Structure formats: C-alpha cells, structure tokens
Amino acid sequence: YQRRVHGEKSYIQEALDRVRGISLSKRNSFHELTVLWKLVGVMEAPSFEEIIVAMRAVTPAIPSLDEIVAVMRTHSHVAHVQESAFQWLQYYSSRREWRALMYAKQIGQFVRESMAAHPHSAGVQLYGCCILAELLKNVRGSLEDAACVCAALRAHRAVATIQHAGCVAMLNFARSVRDLRSAMAPDQVECVFGAMTAHPHVASVQESGCSALCELATGSNANLACMCELGVVAHVSAVLDSAADSATASAACVRLLGVLLLAPTAIANKDNNALLNASVERIVRAMDSHADVVALQTVGCCVLARFAAASQDTCTYLCAHGVVERVCVAMGAHATCASLQKEGCAVLRQLSRCETRASMREYGAVECVRAAMSHRAVQSLQEDGAVILLNLGIW
C-alpha cells in the first residue's frame, strides 16, 4: 500500500476509474467501504487525519469494534469480508489507546478463529499477523497466538509480506513471554528460520527474522541448540555478506551472530574459533559500509566487545584485523551518542590488554576515550575509560 501511495500517475488514474464503478449496497457495503477508504487514501489523503476525513465523506462513521465483530460473526465463512474487517482492526490495533479495549473484547480470539477458518486466504493471514503483532506489544502472548502465526508462516512461504508480518508477530510474542520461556518451542524457531531461508534477499524478512530469533534464543538452551542444528549461523553470515545495502538487516544479523556464537553450545564446538574470526571480518565490513548509521555501529561495538571478552586468542585476532581503527572511527563520527561511546569503550578496554600503546595512539584511541568520558552520567563508560588509560600507562 505504501508503494502504491508513491506509485505512478497511471495507477492513480486507474484507481479513480474503479471508484466510479463502485455502488454501496447493504450486502457488500462493509467490504466496499474498505476499498473506497484505500483508494481515497491513495488519491487524496497522505496523512492519517486526512484519510479519516475523506473516509467520513463516504461513510457516516468509522465502524466500532462491536460492529466489526458483528460483521465477522455474521459472515464468518466469507474470506473477503474477514479480510476487510481485519483491515479495520489493524487500524484500531495501530493505536496504543485502543489495544487494551481490544484485549478486553477478546479481539485476539476472533482473529485467531478467523485465521484458522481461512488458512488459504493470504489477505486474512497477512492482516491477522499484523493485528497479533500489534496486540502482543501490550499483552502476554499465548501458545495459541504462536501456533496461529506459525500456521500462517507455513501455509504462505512464498508470500514475503506474510513472512515479514509473521516474524514481527513472533518477535513481539517472544518479548511478551520473556519470563515464561516454557512458552517457547523449537518449532517456532523452525518457522521463523523457514521464512528467512525462503526469502534470503528480502531485507525486511531477514531483519524481522533475526530479531525474532534473538528473542527466542534468550534464556532457552533448547532453542539455541535448534538454531545451531538448523545452520542459522551459516545463513546469517551469508545474508550479512549479501545484504550490504540494508543497514537495519545488517544490524539484526550482527546482533544474532553475537548471541549464537557465544552460546554455550557454540563455544563447545571445536570450529567455533574459526566462525568467530570470520564473523569479526564480516562485522567490520558491515560497519565500514554503514559508517553513518549509529544503530549499526552501536550493535557492532557491542558484539565485538563480547567477542573480545571471550578469549585472549579472539582478542588478539581482533587487534590484528583493524577493529581498533574501526571502533575509533565510529566513536569519532558519533561523539554525541552515549550508548555508542559506552560500547566503544567496552571494546577498547578488552583490546587494551593486548594492543601496544603505540598502536592505540596511532589510531587515536586515547583521544576517543577522553572525549567519550565527557558523558559523565554513564558510569560504566567512566570505569572502562579509566581502565583503558591505566592499561596504556596514560594515568
């Protein structure tokens, strides 16, 4: 829909022609009003408020939640009516103030039932995943939510938009049950990873998939073991090599590599040091490619700090492959970002154990650390900065 808003003039003219042929009848008014809302939004309403004004010119009022639920119950067997109702529910779920009311009215249950009744309708599955993803921002997810999203992911592997929406829903589900890891299961990992492998060149799927796997891996050894068996590290490494144009996808890949390569099951692998070393080079390349993206630089520094703390051999490898220079460049380019400065100092603290004083000075590490310590409110940064300067014999 967003692509159509910014599409060519010919599409807009075609939309106008279609609007002229629509007549509102009692039987199909709900579905047709949704179509009109979309087309009017494309034509004349770039902002949310203008869309509402234009829609009210066509219909007396926005359907209430009760009216939408009533339509869904009356036409539960008609997929296109359910899809239209879902589009209205997506509007409500996108507003924070409505989510609690939707939860109280058990909208999530209606959504799951409709998705189960129309498994082959791509529209129902897409909007259903979008609604659940929004609702799960505010409420604890259930096993039924996860099962419903997984079913949509399996049934529509070829549809990238559904795979992306499903991965976002699984991400929010995992976040909502952080204190209840028993709600997570390896089959959820398999569904998310299946979406990523089905669309390796779609950046949005890779980003949401990596983020979901990060959450599913946290605190769950069973899920970590499942990811290692499925070959997630190899896939994410390949994506990181190929997704050079997407900073957000690269950041998500870097974060997931940090989780997987430092997991107990990975550390026990005799080939893990080689994987760590290869990942270091990929992370540095990603940071070089997106030097102006502070989020990626912060994530990269965070993961490199954890790698450096893993072993002395890895720390030495980082020093020999330009990590000091890369970190100093990132800190210099984003001096006002306290979180990046904190993570950068964490990396330099580990590397100051094995990097020579002359080399650190050559890359400007001392000046970077002193500048970073101007963020006096960040205690860990102050501690790391002091240790770095002591290790280098400055203080």
Side-chain angles (χ1 to χ4, degrees), residues 7-296:
E8 299 178 356
K9 298 294 183 182
S10 59
Y11 172 81
I12 295 177
Q13 185 58 49
E14 180 184 352
L16 273 178
D17 295 339
R18 291 185 181 181
V19 169
R20 297 190 186 98
I22 294 178
S23 60
L24 298 179
S25 63
K26 291 183 179 180
R27 179 178 180 182
N28 295 321
S29 59
F30 194 82
H31 176 66
E32 290 175 352
L33 283 175
T34 303
V35 175
L36 277 174
W37 171 74
K38 280 182 163 183
L39 298 180
V40 170
V42 171
M43 289 304 306
E44 303 170 0
S47 70
F48 175 81
E49 290 74 14
E50 289 175 321
I51 288 178
I52 299 303
V53 171
M55 191 168 63
R56 282 174 175 164
V58 179
T59 180
I62 301 173
S64 68
L65 286 175
D66 291 334
E67 290 172 335
I68 295 172
V69 171
V71 169
M72 292 176 65
R73 285 175 169 169
T74 303
H75 303 283
S76 59
H77 61 289
V78 184
H80 75 83
V81 173
Q82 300 296 305
E83 180 181 346
S84 298
F86 274 17
Q87 291 173 37
W88 290 102
L89 289 178
Q90 187 184 14
Y91 149 67
Y92 277 107
S93 66
S94 66
R95 316 292 287 185
R96 180 189 297 270
E97 61 271 19
W98 284 101
R99 291 175 195 154
L101 180 60
M102 294 180 71
Y103 177 73
K105 291 181 175 292
Q106 298 183 327
I107 297 298
Q109 179 179 346
F110 288 117
V111 171
R112 292 194 300 268
E113 290 175 355
S114 181
M115 292 176 71
H118 303 281
H120 302 299
S121 172
V124 169
Q125 301 303 313
L126 171 60
Y127 291 112
C129 286
C130 291
I131 295 166
L132 291 178
E134 293 293 335
L135 293 179
L136 289 170
K137 292 179 180 179
N138 291 66
V139 300
R140 181 194 289 273
S142 65
L143 291 176
E144 290 78 8
D145 293 325
C148 191
V149 174
C150 286
L153 288 172
R154 292 192 186 98
H156 298 273
R157 281 285 184 230
V159 185
T161 52
I162 294 179
Q163 300 301 300
H164 168 62
C167 287
V168 174
M170 289 305 302
L171 166 63
N172 292 339
F173 164 77
R175 285 175 174 169
S176 73
V177 295
R178 279 177 175 168
D179 59 337
L180 189 64
R181 291 299 171 184
S182 59
M184 299 184 185
D187 67 316
Q188 298 162 8
V189 172
E190 293 172 2
C191 284
V192 173
F193 186 58
M196 296 173 65
T197 54
H199 302 276
H201 302 298
V202 181
S204 61
V205 175
Q206 301 306 311
E207 177 191 353
S208 56
C210 285
S211 298
L213 290 180
C214 279
E215 286 293 333
L216 290 170
T218 304
S220 175
N221 291 331
N223 283 353
L224 282 170
C226 178
M227 291 179 199
C228 291
E229 292 176 3
L230 291 173
V232 174
V233 171
H235 174 82
V236 172
S237 298
V239 170
L240 194 55
D241 289 336
S242 61
D245 295 336
S246 174
T248 53
S250 296
C253 289
V254 169
R255 187 182 295 111
L256 182 56
L257 282 177
V259 171
L260 296 179
L261 292 177
L262 295 176
T265 51
I267 293 174
N269 186 346
K270 63 180 180 180
D271 299 325
N272 195 58
N273 282 339
L275 292 174
L276 272 174
N277 294 343
S279 296
V280 167
E281 298 176 14
R282 291 187 175 94
I283 293 171
V284 171
R285 284 199 299 269
M287 293 175 70
D288 284 335
S289 299
H290 303 282
D292 59 329
V293 182
V294 65
L296 176 55

Side-chain angles (χ1 to χ4, degrees), residues 311-324:
S311 68
Q312 185 66 30
D313 291 340
T314 304
C315 188
T316 302
Y317 187 88
L318 265 64
C319 292
H321 286 78
V323 171
V324 174

